[in-house]
Amino acid sequence: MKCESHITLLELQQRIQSTLVDALSLPLWVSAEISEMKVNAYSGHCYMELVEKGGPDSIPQARCSAAIWRSRFGAIASYFRIETGSELAAGINVLLKVTVNYHPLYGLSLTVLDIDPAYTLGDWQKQKLQTIAMLRNDGVMEMNRETDLAPDALRIAVVSSSTAAGFQDFLKQIDASAYRFEIELFDAFVQGHGAEESIISALEQIADRCEEFDAVAIIRGGGSQSDLSCFNSYRLCSHVAQFPLPVLTGIGHDKDTSVADMVAYRALKTPTAVAAFLIDRAAEQYALLDALGERLNAAAAEILDTAARRTENAAMRLKILSSDATRRLELRLERLSSEVVRLSQMSLSARAAKLQSTSERLRNSALFFLNRENQRIESAWQKTAARRVEHILSLGFAIVRDDGHALHDAERTHIGQQIDITLARGTLRAKITDNG
């Protein structure tokens, strides 16, 4: 079928371009999330990928490229930083003033003219309020605050980045203390993309070994307000709220309190403040133990002093009573000694006579027993000698062996089989010719 009329692809693209220009000639305010962002080091232009997510899985429903030209990028980025305290970066929801561009070769794109920081701040606050509402609806807001922190909490699981300056500051203060803390790091991203999943993974690892620790410390260095977004997420805060061990937070942000701070057992501003809190608790516990020790020493000294006085009085009474008792016992002992000597002599004489008689009977019985046993041994020897192999072979018997094993059944042999026949004197080698 031949088409009477047609247009070229370029003409189609030009019509689309003309239609868009006519329909969207004025700048528009557009809300979206920055999914990717890159500043060209050579040209100074900023290139972004904008998305809008929806549904329970936050799947992108719309996507478009955007650019901030060098002439505007510095002012826009600086304004956003001053107003929000955060850098313009991927993962942030923004409200942008844009113009729509359509190029026949490169397609649809947006040019960013301005930004509204208040929208981003409102989005962060909205997320925070939504998380708080969900946690309260779940009834878990106060759960971690109701856990028991041991007075001498010395076994601490730390969730932080091994390279974070805040973690190094925490360790430095802990090491400088007089107490022996046991610190184990569960390395995680604590800011930026992937921080939420990384921290949750670390908490799950600690939960599997919770009997090994007294508390958990989630710490990081200072950061921008946007870096707090993961600490306002429902999933992370739900894990913290329901964690079986007390959770201490020191995420280094003075201007705002995250939801994670609100549900944790104790929220402290910095990693060093977390370390100081743990050291102070240990100091209080050891001070209490010292005071109890002093009270115990004083009570023990008083008890010992009273006991010493009672012992001294008892010793004096015992000395008097023992002197009287000793004298009475000495007199009685003298009488008993004389009686014992007389009775002992009589008893020894009687027992000597009885022992002589018993010795004679024992000697006679032993001789009779030995004679009888000798006869039994002689009889057993004769029976044993009659059963010896040498004796049996001397009577004309022989031992037939096959490969060292004695043969008992002719049916287990075969014609031509080589066998050994042991006689009383010597061994014969034979071959079976008949085994019927």
Side-chain angles (χ1 to χ4, degrees):
M1 178 178 175
K2 185 177 180 181
C3 183
E4 296 298 332
S5 63
H6 70 277
I7 61 174
T8 65
L9 177 61
L10 177 59
E11 288 175 331
L12 175 61
Q13 295 282 51
Q14 288 174 340
R15 288 187 185 184
I16 295 173
Q17 181 181 31
S18 177
T19 302
L20 285 175
V21 169
D22 292 340
L24 302 172
S25 59
L26 298 177
L28 300 172
W29 284 97
V30 176
S31 61
E33 177 185 329
I34 303 174
S35 64
E36 297 178 21
M37 176 174 164
K38 183 178 181 180
V39 179
N40 188 296
Y42 178 75
S43 66
H45 302 318
C46 174
Y47 299 97
M48 299 184 293
E49 190 74 16
L50 304 178
V51 296
E52 181 174 345
K53 297 177 181 178
D57 297 326
S58 297
I59 298 174
Q61 296 178 324
R63 185 184 301 273
C64 186
S65 299
I68 309 177
W69 305 127
R70 179 179 61 184
S71 59
R72 292 179 179 270
F73 176 67
I76 291 176
S78 177
Y79 176 52
F80 185 84
R81 185 189 315 111
I82 293 171
E83 293 297 316
T84 65
S86 303
E87 296 291 339
L88 194 61
I92 298 176
N93 287 323
V94 291
L95 181 61
L96 303 173
K97 186 177 183 181
V98 302
T99 57
V100 180
N101 309 303
Y102 191 89
H103 191 279
L105 186 59
Y106 302 112
L108 182 69
S109 66
L110 305 176
T111 299
V112 178
L113 305 177
D114 202 355
I115 191 169
D116 184 359
Y119 177 85
T120 303
L121 290 171
D123 182 70
W124 290 338
Q125 187 64 22
K126 180 181 177 182
Q127 179 197 24
K128 181 176 178 179
L129 294 176
Q130 285 177 341
T131 298
I132 293 172
M134 293 170 70
L135 293 173
R136 284 178 176 164
N137 186 58
D138 294 342
V140 299
M141 279 290 291
E142 302 298 327
M143 284 184 64
N144 197 255
R145 293 181 180 272
E146 294 171 357
T147 57
D148 294 324
L149 180 61
D152 55 343
L154 299 176
R155 304 176 304 164
I156 311 300
V158 177
V159 178
S160 184
S161 170
S162 59
T163 59
F167 175 61
Q168 301 305 323
D169 293 340
F170 173 84
L171 283 184
K172 186 181 298 183
Q173 186 147 347
I174 287 290
D175 292 341
S177 72
Y179 309 105
R180 186 177 179 181
F181 286 90
E182 296 177 14
I183 307 297
E184 182 170 347
L185 173 66
F186 289 80
D187 202 359
F189 299 116
V190 288
Q191 61 188 38
H193 184 67
E196 179 181 347
E197 290 298 331
S198 185
I199 295 172
I200 290 174
S201 175
L203 290 175
E204 289 174 346
Q205 293 177 52
I206 298 169
D208 291 338
R209 299 168 50 196
C210 62
E211 69 281 354
E212 301 177 25
F213 304 103
D214 299 317
V216 178
I218 302 176
I219 59 177
R220 63 161 203 165
S224 65
Q225 189 170 5
S226 63
D227 291 333
L228 282 177
S229 60
C230 69
F231 295 101
N232 289 327
S233 74
Y234 171 74
R235 287 186 62 238
L236 174 57
C237 294
S238 181
H239 274 75
V240 173
Q242 300 177 74
F243 204 74
L245 294 175
V247 177
L248 310 175
T249 58
I251 57 179
H253 202 280
D254 294 326
K255 295 181 180 179
D256 199 3
T257 300
S258 69
V259 181
D261 290 327
M262 297 172 66
V263 298
Y265 177 86
R266 185 68 179 267
L268 300 128
K269 290 299 182 183
T270 62
T272 53
V274 175
F277 172 76
L278 292 169
I279 294 169
D280 289 345
R281 282 185 66 88
E284 290 174 3
Q285 180 65 12
Y286 280 95
L288 176 61
L289 291 176
D290 288 342
L292 292 175
E294 292 178 0
R295 290 176 58 187
L296 181 61
N297 288 336
E302 184 178 352
I303 292 172
L304 290 173
D305 184 56
T306 302
R309 290 197 298 270
R310 290 179 178 176
T311 301
E312 185 178 353
N313 294 334
M316 294 178 64
R317 293 179 58 192
L318 181 61
K319 183 177 180 181
I320 296 172
L321 293 175
S322 63
S323 297
D324 294 343
T326 301
R327 182 57 186 166
R328 289 195 299 270
L329 290 173
E330 286 175 349
L331 294 174
R332 185 179 179 186
L333 185 60
E334 288 178 0
R335 292 194 298 270
L336 291 175
S337 179
S338 299
E339 186 67 15
V340 167
V341 170
R342 185 180 67 80
L343 294 175
S344 296
Q345 290 174 348
M346 292 175 60
S347 177
L348 287 173
S349 298
R351 289 183 178 275
K354 184 176 181 180
L355 182 60
Q356 182 65 28
S357 175
T358 302
S359 178
E360 289 295 331
R361 290 198 304 272
L362 181 60
R363 181 174 178 278
N364 294 333
S365 297
L367 291 173
F368 175 77
F369 176 76
L370 291 173
N371 289 333
R372 187 180 63 186
E373 292 301 313
N374 284 334
Q375 292 174 2
R376 290 177 60 190
I377 291 171
E378 181 64 26
S379 176
W381 171 254
Q382 292 175 359
K383 291 179 181 180
T384 302
R387 289 179 173 82
R388 295 180 64 188
V389 174
E390 293 83 355
H391 177 71
I392 293 172
L393 293 177
S394 69
L395 295 176
F397 294 96
I399 300 174
V400 181
R401 292 186 176 89
D402 174 29
D403 195 19
H405 301 287
L407 290 173
H408 304 287
D409 189 349
E411 293 181 357
R412 295 181 178 271
T413 63
H414 56 84
I415 303 301
Q417 181 178 351
Q418 296 287 336
I419 59 174
D420 298 318
I421 302 173
T422 302
L423 304 176
R425 294 180 180 177
T427 300
L428 299 177
R429 183 74 170 175
K431 181 185 294 184
I432 297 175
T433 60
D434 186 6
N435 64 348

